[in-house]
Each structure stands twice: as structure tokens, then as C-alpha cells.
Amino acid sequence: MATHPGHPLAPISEALNAWQVWDQDWRARDARPDLGEVLGIGSANTVFSLDRASDLVLRVRHNTASLSVNSPTQEIALWRAAAGLSLAPDVLWAGTNADVVITKRLTFDGIDKEAHSELLNNVHNSNIASPKLSLEGTAARYAQAIRKRDLNHLAVDIDLPAVRRDLQQLDNEPACFCHNDLTPTNIGHLAGQFLAIDWEYAALGSRHFDIAVASQNMEANARDTFAARTAGALFDLRQWQSACRVAPLMDHLWTLATLGHTEGVHSKKSLEKCWGIE
């Protein structure tokens, strides 16, 4: 793959050409690994397999203007810190702007609730240094992007007193390090250990909000049990109820702000009912 420096594929070419830096088994390979098939496409990244290096993946950022909490370089710094604590797969190589990253390849075939809870609790107890996430400030950023798209009529008004109270209540919770997107789709395993990927929203923040995001697809009773198990002695019912309202709200606002629609997330009307607004 020969490309000039300004070519869109140049960062991928740079990564592949650096294979003897990042490929720990390069002496056993026949040749430089090549880009393989697409394994997954997220809101900001595309993940490829690597021919002749089935134990690794190449992750390329395709959306540099997203509303992520962390810049690409900040995300990879946090990812590496998490990997150092056995919470994430090793990052073997990152481009100058962290636009292309080589990591260990995980297997994704589900995680049981107990292991999911344990991983999330370990993240919360990791003490990884990071900036603090303000849910109120993030919601305001999303609302601004929604106004620019002229989609206010589809969005929940974050200035409603009940909504504002929930956001502020969670922001005032004693902060811990949070992944903020630790759904089962972002958890894989390697050598018998569950690990997390996609740390672009990781930050200090509300433990209860992080648990609510991680458990959004669970049935209500199972979700409550998951929350109580994960938070342990720090579980607070009032905080948990607020988090269960705010988690889908943030998904709703993010989807409108970045994608311009509400497909696949709660609508304005259904969310407002959570706050007793008809």
C-alpha cells in the first residue's frame, strides 16, 4: 500500500509499514501483515483484521469531528492506562494523532452479568487519572449541536427543572473513574480474561450513571440487581433512579446531535414521561 503523505490511506500505510515495531511475533511471520476484513464499524472507528497477524487488529478513526469526551490521543492514553491494570487489551502501536491503532484482538461472544459487574467495579476502583465529566456540560454541548441542525423540536429540553436537577445531582456525586460506554458489545476476552475496548468517553464521573449506561439492555429487575452488586455499599437508590432517567436522555441527545435522528433511541415524548411531563 503505497500512498503519499496527504492521502486518506496514508495513516494506515504508515501503521502497516511500522509492523516490525508493533508486531511482537514478526520474526515468525512470512511478511508484513496486510489489512484484512472489516470486523466492526462504530460511530467513530472502523476495526480491521490483519492478514498474517490473526492475534491483532487495526483500528482506524473515521470520525474526527464527533462529540466524544476524549480526543483520540487522550483516549489512547486512558486505554493504555487501563491496559496496564488488565482492564483493556494492550495497545501495541498508535499513529502520531492516534488515528490508527494496533491492539491485541479480543473474542466477542458475550459476558455474564457477574463478570460484567466485576469488570465495571474494577474500572471504578482503578483510580486512573483523567478529567472530570460534567453530564450537564455534555448535555449542553449536545443541545448546541442539535440547535445548529435545527432539530430542537425533536429534543428533550435540558433546561426543564426536573431534567436539570437529575443532571446536577449526578454531577455532584463523588466521582470515580468511569468507562461510560461499558455495554457488552465493548467487552471481549483474551486468555480467559474479560477486557474493555473503546475508551473515548472514559472520565471521572458518576458511578451510577456509568452502571446505568452499561445495563441499559437488561430487564428492570436484573438491572437493579446488577447496579446494587456493582456499586456495593455505595449504591444509592435516589442516584440510581436519576441515572436510569439520564442514561437514555444522553443517548437521545447524542444521536440527534451527531446523526440527526432519533432512530434506535427513546423519543422526546417517551423520555419526558420519565419526568412526569405530558
Side-chain angles (χ1 to χ4, degrees):
M1 182 183 290
T3 57
H4 62 77
H7 193 282
L9 295 179
I12 296 177
S13 182
E14 178 191 10
L16 295 174
N17 288 335
W19 68 291
Q20 290 178 325
V21 175
W22 49 258
D23 188 349
Q24 297 171 337
D25 296 325
W26 68 270
R27 292 182 186 276
R29 316 273 192 204
D30 294 331
R32 184 199 78 169
D34 290 326
L35 204 63
E37 64 180 346
V38 173
L39 297 175
I41 302 176
S43 60
N45 301 282
T46 302
V47 179
F48 294 87
S49 66
L50 288 169
D51 293 341
R52 294 184 294 279
S54 60
D55 55 327
L56 306 176
V57 295
L58 181 148
R59 178 177 179 267
V60 58
R61 194 170 186 90
H62 60 242
N63 181 4
T64 57
S66 71
L67 289 168
S68 300
V69 170
N70 296 302
S71 69
T73 52
Q74 288 171 326
E75 178 192 359
I76 298 308
L78 293 174
W79 188 319
R80 281 180 159 146
L85 296 173
S86 299
L87 299 172
D90 289 335
V91 175
L92 303 180
W93 188 89
T96 305
N97 299 315
D99 42 7
V100 176
V101 179
I102 306 292
T103 72
K104 289 284 190 176
R105 181 171 180 174
L106 303 183
T107 298
F108 294 87
D109 54 11
I111 182 172
D112 62 68
K113 293 181 178 62
E114 290 76 15
H116 190 177
S117 174
E118 181 181 2
L119 178 58
L120 190 54
N121 183 262
N122 289 339
V123 170
H124 293 166
N125 292 328
S126 66
N127 295 318
I128 293 174
S130 64
K132 189 174 188 301
L133 171 69
S134 165
L135 291 170
E136 188 175 19
T138 302
R141 285 174 57 220
Y142 293 165
Q144 182 180 31
I146 290 167
R147 284 194 295 273
K148 287 182 179 179
R149 285 179 172 269
D150 197 24
L151 295 173
N152 266 12
H153 60 290
L154 296 177
V156 172
D157 182 0
I158 63 170
D159 290 322
L160 291 168
V163 175
R164 186 70 67 179
R165 276 196 302 272
D166 274 346
L167 292 169
Q168 292 174 348
Q169 182 177 309
L170 293 172
D171 279 342
N172 289 332
E173 180 180 328
C176 66
F177 183 68
C178 298
H179 183 281
N180 290 317
D181 196 19
L182 198 61
T183 60
T185 57
N186 281 332
I187 302 171
H189 60 87
L190 178 67
Q193 186 170 27
F194 286 106
L195 303 169
I197 62 168
D198 288 358
W199 295 80
E200 61 191 291
Y201 296 97
L204 293 177
S206 162
R207 178 187 311 267
H208 289 81
F209 174 77
D210 199 17
I211 298 170
V213 171
S215 62
Q216 280 191 84
N217 292 326
M218 295 182 190
E219 296 294 333
N221 290 339
R223 193 181 191 196
D224 290 343
T225 300
F226 177 85
R229 179 193 298 119
T230 306
L234 296 174
F235 179 76
D236 182 295
L237 181 59
R238 185 164 173 259
Q239 291 292 103
W240 176 236
Q241 290 170 339
S242 291
C244 288
R245 290 188 290 266
V246 169
L249 168 70
M250 298 303 283
D251 277 351
H252 159 86
L253 295 173
W254 180 90
T255 302
L256 269 174
T258 60
L259 305 179
H261 60 71
T262 57
E263 294 174 21
V265 295
H266 293 282
S267 67
K268 174 181 179 180
K269 185 175 181 180
S270 65
L271 285 171
E272 287 178 341
K273 287 181 179 178
C274 297
W275 286 280
I277 301 164
E278 298 292 343

